[in-house]
Amino acid sequence: MKHGFIFTGTDPQLAVELAPLAEASGWDAFFVWEGIWATDPWATLAAAAMVTDRIRLGTMLTPVPRRRPWELAGQTMTVDRLSNGRVILSVGLGVPEEFEPRFWIFEDDPGRKVRAELLDEELELLQPLWRGEPFAYEGRHFHAKRTDSMLPPAIVQEPRIPIWVVGVWPRMKSMRRVARYDGWIPNYAPPGAGIDPNLQQRTYTPEIAAEAIAWIRAEREQAGLAERPFDILHEGTTSGTDAAADAAIVRPWADAGVTWWLESDWNVPADHVADYSRDRVRAGPPRF
């Protein structure tokens, strides 16, 4: 199991301070969050890339349907090159307006169906954009005219920057999207219930994760992708001070097949985020 730390604050200077501290403290990845009218995560990660050598860098997560794919391609390519191939792109549909109106102050939520269409089309379009070669594209929402001039450099990583995708288990259309890419960020919709983040946290268990992971493996094998790396994520909170208690939290997820533990605590008050983040990062990831 690998371990990432998610910085839940908003100060870019603090984030750039924490990234090398996380690297020195044994973490495998450092993530910042991406909002609407917020600190620019990719500018922050570009600065973090210049003060780190090993740790992977990314967002948790990027609401791709809210972005222009050519701009996202340029930002991720830039950080990938600055970091010599250490970027991870975590993607999802974005928070619905009914759960977080703050993210929809500049536009109206077009609905889950349209956001899903945008996500699929933009992920497809990112692939040729990252190669920095002439191409043409025609989709329902986007198009690209072929050009041979002013082409950007290609990304460092092959065959692409790893793409971790939010998928709702057991909704098969959502999960089939996950299986085509490089990692699963789990959401869970209990039978008979909608997609409620609070309900998911109460009802999603390692046993359910293991069931979904087995399905993903079978789906990828059928698609001829079984030999390609694939990550399974779980986000949670450990103390950093009680190794036995922390191990008891993390171990069942590792046994279920989770490959990345993402440490976060979104309930820390804004005026305590700096002290909390420094202390938790310095304590290192939960080990067992």
Side-chain angles (χ1 to χ4, degrees), residues 105-183:
I105 58 177
F106 301 109
E107 57 186 325
D108 296 326
D109 184 353
R112 183 179 182 83
K113 181 178 183 295
V114 173
R115 283 186 281 113
E117 291 174 358
L118 288 165
L119 177 59
D120 286 333
E121 200 166 302
E122 293 186 61
L123 290 181
E124 182 180 351
L125 189 50
L126 278 174
Q127 314 303 307
L129 286 167
W130 277 336
R131 289 195 288 270
E133 300 172 349
F135 76 100
Y137 180 87
E138 195 64 42
R140 180 173 181 178
H141 297 280
F142 298 100
H143 71 272
K145 301 174 184 177
R146 182 182 176 88
T147 181
D148 298 304
S149 65
M150 300 180 66
L151 295 173
I155 59 172
V156 173
Q157 298 185 78
E158 293 288 350
R160 64 180 172 222
I161 291 171
I163 299 174
W164 292 349
V165 184
V166 172
V168 182
W169 178 258
R171 300 194 176 182
M172 293 300 101
K173 184 175 181 180
S174 175
M175 294 302 294
R176 289 190 183 98
R177 177 188 300 119
V178 168
R180 295 197 302 268
Y181 290 96
D182 310 301

Side-chain angles (χ1 to χ4, degrees), residues 192-245:
I195 303 171
D196 182 334
N198 295 322
L199 181 62
Q200 175 199 339
Q201 292 177 2
R202 295 195 303 269
T203 56
Y204 182 59
T205 65
E207 292 73 24
I208 292 171
E211 178 185 349
I213 292 166
W215 182 91
I216 291 171
R217 288 173 176 162
E219 183 75 7
R220 285 176 62 80
E221 183 172 0
Q222 185 175 1
L225 300 172
E227 300 304 315
R228 291 183 57 175
F230 190 87
D231 290 308
I232 307 291
L233 287 64
H234 185 73
E235 184 176 339
T237 306
T238 58
S239 68
T241 58
D242 187 332

